[in-house]
Amino acid sequence: MRPIVSGVADAARPLLLRARPWADPFVDEVAPRLNDLRPKMQELRAQLPELRSRIAGAAPQIAARIGLGRVTSFGRTAGATARRLSSMRLTPRGAAPGPSVANAVIAPRALPGPRLPSIPVGATARSIARRLRPGRWAFRTVAIGIIALVLSNATLRDAMVAEINWSSSVLQTIEMPTVVLPSIEIPTLELPTIELPAIQIPAFEIPTNLFATAESTAQSKLTPAPFELPPLNAYRAQFETQASYPTVPPNATVEWVIALRNTGSVGWYRGIAGAQAALALADGTEVAVQSTAYVAPGQVGWFIARFRAPAGAGTHSVALFPRIDGRGELPDLGILALVTVR
């Protein structure tokens, strides 16, 4: 039997392993409920002695109503009848005993044949008797006999029905405690509110001119024109020449010389509002004005641009734009100062 049991266990092990993923969630779900039912089961166990005492008190009344006297007499009669049947002879009544079969018939002498193995009849019979359990068979036989007797007798059958109805009414009077299953409330998960700190970016002001010097930021003092000013389109300029590109340290003052030719129809007047030629950065900061007092049409005017060099090392491109102070911008001439910072 052990090899068979071990083989069945080995064959069932893969099935159990496959069923575990489905069984584990069920066990996880049922285990908390069983833990909640344990207090109720303990209360029921505490009430069992009281229920037993009630049933024990009602048992004598049920036995007195049933009346086991008839059943006892039936059992005695059945036992006597069984003893008589076991003591009866098989010879028919009135028949004379005849000759024995052994003396009347002489069997031919058989040749010796193969000897059969002996079977231990006694041990086999004892083992069968132990397995049959005579007490159980006797109880079942008596029970079947009682049931047959009750069913065959109308009076006993009616009495049994009446006793069963009375017993059921008695059992109904016994109040069983009601088991109230506790309600399982799943707690709600409240996520904590996370307050992010406010990031304050410091405000910084970008200077209007990173490259202008103190001298260039100070606007030239202009005086009103003593003559009638022409329109802005009368002023024109053309790039003429320049000095070599400067190389300066970081944040140093750059000086760069540029020459522009007056190609307009009117002259440039230094210090006169609306007639002075100048150069400015992209943000409008003025960095240079004409160096001579007057530049007639066709003549060349010189400009010395002064501005602050960038702080980072490398080559930086600084654009300069011509204009007439007090009037407006002139067409872009593409003037670029390549400043090398070392």
Side-chain angles (χ1 to χ4, degrees), residues 26-63:
F26 177 76
V27 172
D28 296 338
E29 182 68 22
V30 173
R33 300 180 183 274
L34 294 178
N35 294 332
D36 295 335
L37 290 176
R38 285 180 180 176
K40 299 298 180 181
M41 297 301 296
Q42 293 177 358
E43 292 179 3
L44 290 177
R45 289 179 181 175
Q47 294 178 1
L48 282 178
E50 183 179 356
L51 295 176
R52 289 178 181 174
S53 62
R54 292 183 182 180
I55 295 173
Q61 300 178 6
I62 297 174

PDB file of all heavy atoms in Angstrom, residues 26-63:
ATOM      1  N   PHE A  26      -7.904  32.802  -1.972  1.00  0.00           N
ATOM      2  CA  PHE A  26      -9.096  32.393  -1.242  1.00  0.00           C
ATOM      3  C   PHE A  26      -8.781  32.229   0.235  1.00  0.00           C
ATOM      4  O   PHE A  26      -9.548  32.646   1.102  1.00  0.00           O
ATOM      5  CB  PHE A  26      -9.620  31.087  -1.839  1.00  0.00           C
ATOM      6  CG  PHE A  26     -10.820  30.529  -1.100  1.00  0.00           C
ATOM      7  CD1 PHE A  26     -12.077  31.108  -1.283  1.00  0.00           C
ATOM      8  CD2 PHE A  26     -10.690  29.479  -0.220  1.00  0.00           C
ATOM      9  CE1 PHE A  26     -13.172  30.603  -0.598  1.00  0.00           C
ATOM     10  CE2 PHE A  26     -11.779  28.977   0.451  1.00  0.00           C
ATOM     11  CZ  PHE A  26     -13.031  29.537   0.264  1.00  0.00           C
ATOM     12  N   VAL A  27      -7.618  31.613   0.526  1.00  0.00           N
ATOM     13  CA  VAL A  27      -7.218  31.434   1.927  1.00  0.00           C
ATOM     14  C   VAL A  27      -6.992  32.790   2.595  1.00  0.00           C
ATOM     15  O   VAL A  27      -7.395  33.029   3.726  1.00  0.00           O
ATOM     16  CB  VAL A  27      -5.955  30.557   2.000  1.00  0.00           C
ATOM     17  CG1 VAL A  27      -5.415  30.526   3.427  1.00  0.00           C
ATOM     18  CG2 VAL A  27      -6.275  29.156   1.530  1.00  0.00           C
ATOM     19  N   ASP A  28      -6.350  33.726   1.850  1.00  0.00           N
ATOM     20  CA  ASP A  28      -6.122  35.063   2.412  1.00  0.00           C
ATOM     21  C   ASP A  28      -7.430  35.790   2.679  1.00  0.00           C
ATOM     22  O   ASP A  28      -7.515  36.614   3.587  1.00  0.00           O
ATOM     23  CB  ASP A  28      -5.255  35.888   1.460  1.00  0.00           C
ATOM     24  CG  ASP A  28      -3.861  35.277   1.307  1.00  0.00           C
ATOM     25  OD1 ASP A  28      -3.469  34.512   2.228  1.00  0.00           O
ATOM     26  OD2 ASP A  28      -3.205  35.547   0.290  1.00  0.00           O
ATOM     27  N   GLU A  29      -8.462  35.521   1.862  1.00  0.00           N
ATOM     28  CA  GLU A  29      -9.751  36.181   2.044  1.00  0.00           C
ATOM     29  C   GLU A  29     -10.550  35.547   3.172  1.00  0.00           C
ATOM     30  O   GLU A  29     -11.244  36.227   3.924  1.00  0.00           O
ATOM     31  CB  GLU A  29     -10.533  36.112   0.735  1.00  0.00           C
ATOM     32  CG  GLU A  29     -11.880  36.816   0.775  1.00  0.00           C
ATOM     33  CD  GLU A  29     -11.733  38.311   0.886  1.00  0.00           C
ATOM     34  OE1 GLU A  29     -10.651  38.837   0.528  1.00  0.00           O
ATOM     35  OE2 GLU A  29     -12.684  38.959   1.341  1.00  0.00           O
ATOM     36  N   VAL A  30     -10.461  34.195   3.326  1.00  0.00           N
ATOM     37  CA  VAL A  30     -11.290  33.482   4.305  1.00  0.00           C
ATOM     38  C   VAL A  30     -10.666  33.545   5.695  1.00  0.00           C
ATOM     39  O   VAL A  30     -11.375  33.543   6.703  1.00  0.00           O
ATOM     40  CB  VAL A  30     -11.500  32.019   3.845  1.00  0.00           C
ATOM     41  CG1 VAL A  30     -12.206  31.213   4.925  1.00  0.00           C
ATOM     42  CG2 VAL A  30     -12.306  31.994   2.569  1.00  0.00           C
ATOM     43  N   ALA A  31      -9.311  33.596   5.770  1.00  0.00           N
ATOM     44  CA  ALA A  31      -8.650  33.550   7.075  1.00  0.00           C
ATOM     45  C   ALA A  31      -9.113  34.671   8.008  1.00  0.00           C
ATOM     46  O   ALA A  31      -9.416  34.427   9.173  1.00  0.00           O
ATOM     47  CB  ALA A  31      -7.132  33.589   6.885  1.00  0.00           C
ATOM     48  N   PRO A  32      -9.200  35.954   7.533  1.00  0.00           N
ATOM     49  CA  PRO A  32      -9.704  36.993   8.459  1.00  0.00           C
ATOM     50  C   PRO A  32     -11.133  36.746   8.921  1.00  0.00           C
ATOM     51  O   PRO A  32     -11.484  37.038  10.064  1.00  0.00           O
ATOM     52  CB  PRO A  32      -9.589  38.280   7.634  1.00  0.00           C
ATOM     53  CG  PRO A  32      -8.572  37.976   6.587  1.00  0.00           C
ATOM     54  CD  PRO A  32      -8.742  36.529   6.271  1.00  0.00           C
ATOM     55  N   ARG A  33     -11.979  36.181   8.035  1.00  0.00           N
ATOM     56  CA  ARG A  33     -13.380  35.925   8.444  1.00  0.00           C
ATOM     57  C   ARG A  33     -13.427  34.825   9.511  1.00  0.00           C
ATOM     58  O   ARG A  33     -14.223  34.884  10.448  1.00  0.00           O
ATOM     59  CB  ARG A  33     -14.202  35.556   7.222  1.00  0.00           C
ATOM     60  CG  ARG A  33     -14.215  36.669   6.161  1.00  0.00           C
ATOM     61  CD  ARG A  33     -15.053  36.264   4.968  1.00  0.00           C
ATOM     62  NE  ARG A  33     -15.006  37.287   3.932  1.00  0.00           N
ATOM     63  CZ  ARG A  33     -15.783  38.339   3.873  1.00  0.00           C
ATOM     64  NH1 ARG A  33     -16.689  38.518   4.815  1.00  0.00           N
ATOM     65  NH2 ARG A  33     -15.684  39.221   2.890  1.00  0.00           N
ATOM     66  N   LEU A  34     -12.583  33.777   9.335  1.00  0.00           N
ATOM     67  CA  LEU A  34     -12.548  32.721  10.356  1.00  0.00           C
ATOM     68  C   LEU A  34     -12.054  33.272  11.692  1.00  0.00           C
ATOM     69  O   LEU A  34     -12.558  32.882  12.749  1.00  0.00           O
ATOM     70  CB  LEU A  34     -11.646  31.575   9.880  1.00  0.00           C
ATOM     71  CG  LEU A  34     -12.148  30.786   8.654  1.00  0.00           C
ATOM     72  CD1 LEU A  34     -11.143  29.731   8.266  1.00  0.00           C
ATOM     73  CD2 LEU A  34     -13.511  30.159   8.935  1.00  0.00           C
ATOM     74  N   ASN A  35     -11.098  34.176  11.635  1.00  0.00           N
ATOM     75  CA  ASN A  35     -10.636  34.790  12.880  1.00  0.00           C
ATOM     76  C   ASN A  35     -11.740  35.596  13.557  1.00  0.00           C
ATOM     77  O   ASN A  35     -11.833  35.643  14.783  1.00  0.00           O
ATOM     78  CB  ASN A  35      -9.432  35.681  12.597  1.00  0.00           C
ATOM     79  CG  ASN A  35      -8.227  34.882  12.130  1.00  0.00           C
ATOM     80  OD1 ASN A  35      -8.088  33.703  12.498  1.00  0.00           O
ATOM     81  ND2 ASN A  35      -7.366  35.496  11.327  1.00  0.00           N
ATOM     82  N   ASP A  36     -12.614  36.224  12.726  1.00  0.00           N
ATOM     83  CA  ASP A  36     -13.733  36.967  13.311  1.00  0.00           C
ATOM     84  C   ASP A  36     -14.795  36.038  13.885  1.00  0.00           C
ATOM     85  O   ASP A  36     -15.541  36.414  14.793  1.00  0.00           O
ATOM     86  CB  ASP A  36     -14.354  37.876  12.246  1.00  0.00           C
ATOM     87  CG  ASP A  36     -13.386  38.956  11.794  1.00  0.00           C
ATOM     88  OD1 ASP A  36     -12.493  39.288  12.593  1.00  0.00           O
ATOM     89  OD2 ASP A  36     -13.536  39.439  10.659  1.00  0.00           O
ATOM     90  N   LEU A  37     -14.910  34.783  13.337  1.00  0.00           N
ATOM     91  CA  LEU A  37     -15.920  33.841  13.827  1.00  0.00           C
ATOM     92  C   LEU A  37     -15.480  33.093  15.079  1.00  0.00           C
ATOM     93  O   LEU A  37     -16.298  32.423  15.707  1.00  0.00           O
ATOM     94  CB  LEU A  37     -16.252  32.821  12.728  1.00  0.00           C
ATOM     95  CG  LEU A  37     -17.039  33.370  11.523  1.00  0.00           C
ATOM     96  CD1 LEU A  37     -17.212  32.279  10.493  1.00  0.00           C
ATOM     97  CD2 LEU A  37     -18.398  33.893  11.965  1.00  0.00           C
ATOM     98  N   ARG A  38     -14.204  33.178  15.419  1.00  0.00           N
ATOM     99  CA  ARG A  38     -13.753  32.432  16.595  1.00  0.00           C
ATOM    100  C   ARG A  38     -14.459  32.860  17.878  1.00  0.00           C
ATOM    101  O   ARG A  38     -14.822  32.002  18.690  1.00  0.00           O
ATOM    102  CB  ARG A  38     -12.237  32.611  16.733  1.00  0.00           C
ATOM    103  CG  ARG A  38     -11.465  31.790  15.700  1.00  0.00           C
ATOM    104  CD  ARG A  38      -9.973  31.975  15.857  1.00  0.00           C
ATOM    105  NE  ARG A  38      -9.247  31.193  14.863  1.00  0.00           N
ATOM    106  CZ  ARG A  38      -7.923  31.223  14.720  1.00  0.00           C
ATOM    107  NH1 ARG A  38      -7.185  31.978  15.529  1.00  0.00           N
ATOM    108  NH2 ARG A  38      -7.341  30.508  13.767  1.00  0.00           N
ATOM    109  N   PRO A  39     -14.682  34.162  18.121  1.00  0.00           N
ATOM    110  CA  PRO A  39     -15.438  34.517  19.351  1.00  0.00           C
ATOM    111  C   PRO A  39     -16.841  33.920  19.372  1.00  0.00           C
ATOM    112  O   PRO A  39     -17.323  33.483  20.417  1.00  0.00           O
ATOM    113  CB  PRO A  39     -15.468  36.048  19.306  1.00  0.00           C
ATOM    114  CG  PRO A  39     -14.295  36.435  18.463  1.00  0.00           C
ATOM    115  CD  PRO A  39     -14.161  35.355  17.443  1.00  0.00           C
ATOM    116  N   LYS A  40     -17.529  33.859  18.214  1.00  0.00           N
ATOM    117  CA  LYS A  40     -18.874  33.267  18.177  1.00  0.00           C
ATOM    118  C   LYS A  40     -18.828  31.777  18.481  1.00  0.00           C
ATOM    119  O   LYS A  40     -19.706  31.243  19.182  1.00  0.00           O
ATOM    120  CB  LYS A  40     -19.490  33.513  16.801  1.00  0.00           C
ATOM    121  CG  LYS A  40     -19.650  34.996  16.453  1.00  0.00           C
ATOM    122  CD  LYS A  40     -20.580  35.663  17.437  1.00  0.00           C
ATOM    123  CE  LYS A  40     -20.744  37.151  17.107  1.00  0.00           C
ATOM    124  NZ  LYS A  40     -21.627  37.823  18.048  1.00  0.00           N
ATOM    125  N   MET A  41     -17.807  31.077  17.959  1.00  0.00           N
ATOM    126  CA  MET A  41     -17.690  29.645  18.243  1.00  0.00           C
ATOM    127  C   MET A  41     -17.408  29.418  19.720  1.00  0.00           C
ATOM    128  O   MET A  41     -17.916  28.453  20.320  1.00  0.00           O
ATOM    129  CB  MET A  41     -16.571  29.049  17.387  1.00  0.00           C
ATOM    130  CG  MET A  41     -16.821  29.125  15.872  1.00  0.00           C
ATOM    131  SD  MET A  41     -18.328  28.271  15.388  1.00  0.00           S
ATOM    132  CE  MET A  41     -17.906  26.594  15.817  1.00  0.00           C
ATOM    133  N   GLN A  42     -16.633  30.277  20.344  1.00  0.00           N
ATOM    134  CA  GLN A  42     -16.395  30.135  21.780  1.00  0.00           C
ATOM    135  C   GLN A  42     -17.672  30.344  22.582  1.00  0.00           C
ATOM    136  O   GLN A  42     -17.916  29.659  23.577  1.00  0.00           O
ATOM    137  CB  GLN A  42     -15.320  31.137  22.206  1.00  0.00           C
ATOM    138  CG  GLN A  42     -13.936  30.829  21.624  1.00  0.00           C
ATOM    139  CD  GLN A  42     -12.911  31.853  22.001  1.00  0.00           C
ATOM    140  OE1 GLN A  42     -13.235  32.833  22.679  1.00  0.00           O
ATOM    141  NE2 GLN A  42     -11.662  31.661  21.573  1.00  0.00           N
ATOM    142  N   GLU A  43     -18.539  31.281  22.120  1.00  0.00           N
ATOM    143  CA  GLU A  43     -19.821  31.470  22.811  1.00  0.00           C
ATOM    144  C   GLU A  43     -20.699  30.229  22.678  1.00  0.00           C
ATOM    145  O   GLU A  43     -21.376  29.819  23.625  1.00  0.00           O
ATOM    146  CB  GLU A  43     -20.522  32.690  22.231  1.00  0.00           C
ATOM    147  CG  GLU A  43     -19.812  34.005  22.540  1.00  0.00           C
ATOM    148  CD  GLU A  43     -20.526  35.186  21.926  1.00  0.00           C
ATOM    149  OE1 GLU A  43     -21.590  34.963  21.318  1.00  0.00           O
ATOM    150  OE2 GLU A  43     -20.043  36.323  22.061  1.00  0.00           O
ATOM    151  N   LEU A  44     -20.696  29.603  21.471  1.00  0.00           N
ATOM    152  CA  LEU A  44     -21.491  28.382  21.280  1.00  0.00           C
ATOM    153  C   LEU A  44     -20.973  27.252  22.180  1.00  0.00           C
ATOM    154  O   LEU A  44     -21.757  26.480  22.754  1.00  0.00           O
ATOM    155  CB  LEU A  44     -21.448  27.964  19.816  1.00  0.00           C
ATOM    156  CG  LEU A  44     -22.212  28.871  18.832  1.00  0.00           C
ATOM    157  CD1 LEU A  44     -22.018  28.373  17.405  1.00  0.00           C
ATOM    158  CD2 LEU A  44     -23.697  28.887  19.179  1.00  0.00           C
ATOM    159  N   ARG A  45     -19.628  27.145  22.253  1.00  0.00           N
ATOM    160  CA  ARG A  45     -19.095  26.106  23.135  1.00  0.00           C
ATOM    161  C   ARG A  45     -19.491  26.348  24.590  1.00  0.00           C
ATOM    162  O   ARG A  45     -19.744  25.399  25.342  1.00  0.00           O
ATOM    163  CB  ARG A  45     -17.573  26.088  23.012  1.00  0.00           C
ATOM    164  CG  ARG A  45     -17.082  25.542  21.667  1.00  0.00           C
ATOM    165  CD  ARG A  45     -15.576  25.579  21.594  1.00  0.00           C
ATOM    166  NE  ARG A  45     -15.096  25.092  20.313  1.00  0.00           N
ATOM    167  CZ  ARG A  45     -13.809  25.097  19.946  1.00  0.00           C
ATOM    168  NH1 ARG A  45     -12.890  25.568  20.789  1.00  0.00           N
ATOM    169  NH2 ARG A  45     -13.450  24.646  18.744  1.00  0.00           N
ATOM    170  N   ALA A  46     -19.544  27.586  25.002  1.00  0.00           N
ATOM    171  CA  ALA A  46     -19.962  27.886  26.362  1.00  0.00           C
ATOM    172  C   ALA A  46     -21.431  27.551  26.613  1.00  0.00           C
ATOM    173  O   ALA A  46     -21.823  27.213  27.726  1.00  0.00           O
ATOM    174  CB  ALA A  46     -19.695  29.367  26.675  1.00  0.00           C
ATOM    175  N   GLN A  47     -22.273  27.606  25.553  1.00  0.00           N
ATOM    176  CA  GLN A  47     -23.703  27.314  25.709  1.00  0.00           C
ATOM    177  C   GLN A  47     -24.028  25.836  25.524  1.00  0.00           C
ATOM    178  O   GLN A  47     -25.160  25.429  25.733  1.00  0.00           O
ATOM    179  CB  GLN A  47     -24.499  28.139  24.696  1.00  0.00           C
ATOM    180  CG  GLN A  47     -24.422  29.637  24.944  1.00  0.00           C
ATOM    181  CD  GLN A  47     -25.171  30.431  23.899  1.00  0.00           C
ATOM    182  OE1 GLN A  47     -25.756  29.841  23.002  1.00  0.00           O
ATOM    183  NE2 GLN A  47     -25.147  31.750  24.027  1.00  0.00           N
ATOM    184  N   LEU A  48     -23.050  25.014  25.043  1.00  0.00           N
ATOM    185  CA  LEU A  48     -23.324  23.585  24.846  1.00  0.00           C
ATOM    186  C   LEU A  48     -23.718  22.855  26.137  1.00  0.00           C
ATOM    187  O   LEU A  48     -24.625  22.006  26.109  1.00  0.00           O
ATOM    188  CB  LEU A  48     -22.098  22.920  24.198  1.00  0.00           C
ATOM    189  CG  LEU A  48     -21.930  23.134  22.695  1.00  0.00           C
ATOM    190  CD1 LEU A  48     -20.661  22.457  22.203  1.00  0.00           C
ATOM    191  CD2 LEU A  48     -23.141  22.579  21.939  1.00  0.00           C
ATOM    192  N   PRO A  49     -23.063  23.092  27.285  1.00  0.00           N
ATOM    193  CA  PRO A  49     -23.522  22.383  28.509  1.00  0.00           C
ATOM    194  C   PRO A  49     -24.999  22.650  28.828  1.00  0.00           C
ATOM    195  O   PRO A  49     -25.729  21.733  29.216  1.00  0.00           O
ATOM    196  CB  PRO A  49     -22.594  22.933  29.585  1.00  0.00           C
ATOM    197  CG  PRO A  49     -21.365  23.353  28.847  1.00  0.00           C
ATOM    198  CD  PRO A  49     -21.845  23.855  27.545  1.00  0.00           C
ATOM    199  N   GLU A  50     -25.442  23.898  28.632  1.00  0.00           N
ATOM    200  CA  GLU A  50     -26.843  24.199  28.912  1.00  0.00           C
ATOM    201  C   GLU A  50     -27.768  23.450  27.955  1.00  0.00           C
ATOM    202  O   GLU A  50     -28.811  22.903  28.359  1.00  0.00           O
ATOM    203  CB  GLU A  50     -27.066  25.706  28.804  1.00  0.00           C
ATOM    204  CG  GLU A  50     -28.490  26.134  29.146  1.00  0.00           C
ATOM    205  CD  GLU A  50     -28.655  27.641  29.043  1.00  0.00           C
ATOM    206  OE1 GLU A  50     -27.638  28.322  28.782  1.00  0.00           O
ATOM    207  OE2 GLU A  50     -29.789  28.114  29.237  1.00  0.00           O
ATOM    208  N   LEU A  51     -27.387  23.370  26.671  1.00  0.00           N
ATOM    209  CA  LEU A  51     -28.209  22.626  25.703  1.00  0.00           C
ATOM    210  C   LEU A  51     -28.232  21.139  26.023  1.00  0.00           C
ATOM    211  O   LEU A  51     -29.271  20.476  25.896  1.00  0.00           O
ATOM    212  CB  LEU A  51     -27.660  22.861  24.291  1.00  0.00           C
ATOM    213  CG  LEU A  51     -27.740  24.307  23.759  1.00  0.00           C
ATOM    214  CD1 LEU A  51     -27.085  24.404  22.398  1.00  0.00           C
ATOM    215  CD2 LEU A  51     -29.191  24.749  23.684  1.00  0.00           C
ATOM    216  N   ARG A  52     -27.079  20.607  26.437  1.00  0.00           N
ATOM    217  CA  ARG A  52     -27.054  19.186  26.810  1.00  0.00           C
ATOM    218  C   ARG A  52     -27.962  18.897  27.986  1.00  0.00           C
ATOM    219  O   ARG A  52     -28.653  17.878  28.028  1.00  0.00           O
ATOM    220  CB  ARG A  52     -25.618  18.797  27.138  1.00  0.00           C
ATOM    221  CG  ARG A  52     -24.694  18.734  25.909  1.00  0.00           C
ATOM    222  CD  ARG A  52     -23.293  18.403  26.344  1.00  0.00           C
ATOM    223  NE  ARG A  52     -22.385  18.362  25.195  1.00  0.00           N
ATOM    224  CZ  ARG A  52     -21.054  18.206  25.297  1.00  0.00           C
ATOM    225  NH1 ARG A  52     -20.500  18.087  26.504  1.00  0.00           N
ATOM    226  NH2 ARG A  52     -20.313  18.181  24.214  1.00  0.00           N
ATOM    227  N   SER A  53     -27.955  19.795  28.963  1.00  0.00           N
ATOM    228  CA  SER A  53     -28.828  19.575  30.129  1.00  0.00           C
ATOM    229  C   SER A  53     -30.298  19.608  29.721  1.00  0.00           C
ATOM    230  O   SER A  53     -31.112  18.815  30.212  1.00  0.00           O
ATOM    231  CB  SER A  53     -28.529  20.637  31.188  1.00  0.00           C
ATOM    232  OG  SER A  53     -28.804  21.938  30.672  1.00  0.00           O
ATOM    233  N   ARG A  54     -30.664  20.503  28.774  1.00  0.00           N
ATOM    234  CA  ARG A  54     -32.064  20.550  28.325  1.00  0.00           C
ATOM    235  C   ARG A  54     -32.456  19.254  27.602  1.00  0.00           C
ATOM    236  O   ARG A  54     -33.540  18.695  27.817  1.00  0.00           O
ATOM    237  CB  ARG A  54     -32.266  21.743  27.400  1.00  0.00           C
ATOM    238  CG  ARG A  54     -32.152  23.093  28.089  1.00  0.00           C
ATOM    239  CD  ARG A  54     -32.437  24.208  27.098  1.00  0.00           C
ATOM    240  NE  ARG A  54     -32.289  25.524  27.717  1.00  0.00           N
ATOM    241  CZ  ARG A  54     -32.483  26.666  27.079  1.00  0.00           C
ATOM    242  NH1 ARG A  54     -32.863  26.650  25.792  1.00  0.00           N
ATOM    243  NH2 ARG A  54     -32.316  27.817  27.690  1.00  0.00           N
ATOM    244  N   ILE A  55     -31.550  18.776  26.725  1.00  0.00           N
ATOM    245  CA  ILE A  55     -31.860  17.539  25.978  1.00  0.00           C
ATOM    246  C   ILE A  55     -31.910  16.353  26.921  1.00  0.00           C
ATOM    247  O   ILE A  55     -32.763  15.461  26.803  1.00  0.00           O
ATOM    248  CB  ILE A  55     -30.814  17.324  24.874  1.00  0.00           C
ATOM    249  CG1 ILE A  55     -30.918  18.454  23.840  1.00  0.00           C
ATOM    250  CG2 ILE A  55     -31.005  15.986  24.184  1.00  0.00           C
ATOM    251  CD1 ILE A  55     -29.830  18.436  22.805  1.00  0.00           C
ATOM    252  N   ALA A  56     -30.986  16.313  27.918  1.00  0.00           N
ATOM    253  CA  ALA A  56     -31.003  15.209  28.886  1.00  0.00           C
ATOM    254  C   ALA A  56     -32.293  15.225  29.715  1.00  0.00           C
ATOM    255  O   ALA A  56     -32.843  14.181  30.069  1.00  0.00           O
ATOM    256  CB  ALA A  56     -29.783  15.303  29.794  1.00  0.00           C
ATOM    257  N   GLY A  57     -32.799  16.423  30.008  1.00  0.00           N
ATOM    258  CA  GLY A  57     -34.057  16.487  30.756  1.00  0.00           C
ATOM    259  C   GLY A  57     -35.248  16.028  29.939  1.00  0.00           C
ATOM    260  O   GLY A  57     -36.224  15.461  30.468  1.00  0.00           O
ATOM    261  N   ALA A  58     -35.194  16.255  28.601  1.00  0.00           N
ATOM    262  CA  ALA A  58     -36.311  15.827  27.753  1.00  0.00           C
ATOM    263  C   ALA A  58     -36.221  14.371  27.344  1.00  0.00           C
ATOM    264  O   ALA A  58     -37.209  13.793  26.890  1.00  0.00           O
ATOM    265  CB  ALA A  58     -36.362  16.704  26.504  1.00  0.00           C
ATOM    266  N   ALA A  59     -35.030  13.726  27.436  1.00  0.00           N
ATOM    267  CA  ALA A  59     -34.862  12.338  26.987  1.00  0.00           C
ATOM    268  C   ALA A  59     -35.732  11.364  27.773  1.00  0.00           C
ATOM    269  O   ALA A  59     -36.362  10.471  27.181  1.00  0.00           O
ATOM    270  CB  ALA A  59     -33.384  11.949  27.076  1.00  0.00           C
ATOM    271  N   PRO A  60     -35.828  11.422  29.144  1.00  0.00           N
ATOM    272  CA  PRO A  60     -36.703  10.466  29.865  1.00  0.00           C
ATOM    273  C   PRO A  60     -38.171  10.569  29.434  1.00  0.00           C
ATOM    274  O   PRO A  60     -38.874   9.570  29.350  1.00  0.00           O
ATOM    275  CB  PRO A  60     -36.511  10.842  31.330  1.00  0.00           C
ATOM    276  CG  PRO A  60     -35.183  11.508  31.379  1.00  0.00           C
ATOM    277  CD  PRO A  60     -35.048  12.228  30.097  1.00  0.00           C
ATOM    278  N   GLN A  61     -38.614  11.799  29.164  1.00  0.00           N
ATOM    279  CA  GLN A  61     -39.999  11.949  28.725  1.00  0.00           C
ATOM    280  C   GLN A  61     -40.217  11.248  27.376  1.00  0.00           C
ATOM    281  O   GLN A  61     -41.238  10.584  27.169  1.00  0.00           O
ATOM    282  CB  GLN A  61     -40.348  13.429  28.626  1.00  0.00           C
ATOM    283  CG  GLN A  61     -40.214  14.187  29.940  1.00  0.00           C
ATOM    284  CD  GLN A  61     -40.516  15.656  29.781  1.00  0.00           C
ATOM    285  OE1 GLN A  61     -40.935  16.086  28.719  1.00  0.00           O
ATOM    286  NE2 GLN A  61     -40.317  16.429  30.870  1.00  0.00           N
ATOM    287  N   ILE A  62     -39.225  11.373  26.454  1.00  0.00           N
ATOM    288  CA  ILE A  62     -39.370  10.711  25.146  1.00  0.00           C
ATOM    289  C   ILE A  62     -39.353   9.191  25.309  1.00  0.00           C
ATOM    290  O   ILE A  62     -40.151   8.465  24.709  1.00  0.00           O
ATOM    291  CB  ILE A  62     -38.246  11.170  24.210  1.00  0.00           C
ATOM    292  CG1 ILE A  62     -38.370  12.678  23.957  1.00  0.00           C
ATOM    293  CG2 ILE A  62     -38.283  10.412  22.895  1.00  0.00           C
ATOM    294  CD1 ILE A  62     -37.212  13.252  23.168  1.00  0.00           C
ATOM    295  N   ALA A  63     -38.453   8.672  26.160  1.00  0.00           N
ATOM    296  CA  ALA A  63     -38.376   7.217  26.372  1.00  0.00           C
ATOM    297  C   ALA A  63     -39.648   6.698  27.012  1.00  0.00           C
ATOM    298  O   ALA A  63     -40.133   5.604  26.684  1.00  0.00           O
ATOM    299  CB  ALA A  63     -37.162   6.894  27.244  1.00  0.00           C
TER     300      ALA A  63
END
